[in-house]
Amino acid sequence: MTGLVIDRDILIEAPAEVVWRTITEPDQISQWFADRVDLVVEPGAHGYMEFGDQGGPVVVEVVDPPNRFSFRWNHPRDEEPVAGNSMLVEFTLTPEGDERTRLRVVESGHERLDWPEAEKQRYADEHNGGWADFLERLATLLAKRQAG
């Protein structure tokens, strides 16, 4: 199996500080990603993200404004999320000049789970496509804001 780790990036027409706020503030996240977001952006904080009839708890891992933000999700409900039982979503922001930001998203962890290989690949394929859509929504949202 190849390509199990999801690794996407996009160039966004907005400064890193603007992108940072849009990927970390609940009222901003709900405009491009999850439908409902209950989240405090500090390491160890527990929150929730809802996507229509799906969703679940998240735990914030890294907060390094405006460079890195990560959280764990998709873990067993009766367990604390750690490497080996959850997925890690990592956002890395890299300024490209004063008005553009390269945003990289890496989702990993499912490749290490005790799942059949076909299930790991299905997860990777679904989330790879999902992240492409969400990042495009984010870029479009911020381009409209910067133009307006």
Side-chain angles (χ1 to χ4, degrees):
M1 294 273 142
T2 60
L4 289 179
V5 172
I6 295 115
D7 191 342
R8 312 264 340 172
D9 75 79
I10 191 166
L11 184 60
I12 298 176
E13 298 293 331
E17 292 77 16
V18 172
V19 176
W20 174 262
R21 287 192 305 272
T22 309
I23 67 168
T24 60
E25 295 178 4
D27 64 323
Q28 300 293 309
I29 298 169
S30 64
Q31 293 181 38
W32 66 275
F33 188 49
D35 301 321
R36 181 174 71 88
V37 180
D38 177 15
L39 187 67
V40 175
V41 180
E42 56 186 51
H46 289 247
Y48 190 88
M49 289 189 192
E50 183 175 281
F51 302 83
D53 62 350
Q54 298 181 24
V58 299
V59 176
V60 176
E61 288 270 310
V62 174
V63 179
D64 178 18
N67 306 305
R68 287 187 60 227
F69 171 59
S70 68
F71 60 84
R72 289 196 171 276
W73 66 355
N74 294 333
H75 58 280
R77 294 201 184 275
D78 58 343
E79 296 178 26
E80 191 68 18
V82 295
N85 77 348
S86 62
M87 288 25 142
L88 178 64
V89 176
E90 302 172 276
F91 296 90
T92 305
L93 293 78
T94 305
E96 293 197 3
D98 292 336
E99 297 299 320
R100 299 167 86 189
T101 304
R102 173 84 43 199
L103 177 63
R104 179 178 181 209
V105 178
V106 176
E107 183 177 2
S108 62
H110 58 284
E111 73 282 2
R112 293 188 211 133
L113 298 179
D114 187 22
W115 290 355
E117 290 302 312
E119 180 65 13
K120 292 177 186 180
Q121 191 64 57
R122 183 200 59 78
Y123 185 95
D125 292 344
E126 284 182 7
H127 282 236
N128 196 34
W131 281 114
D133 293 343
F134 287 123
L135 292 177
E136 190 58 41
R137 286 172 61 181
L138 174 63
T140 300
L141 172 69
L142 289 173
K144 287 179 183 175
R145 286 185 188 168
Q146 294 302 105

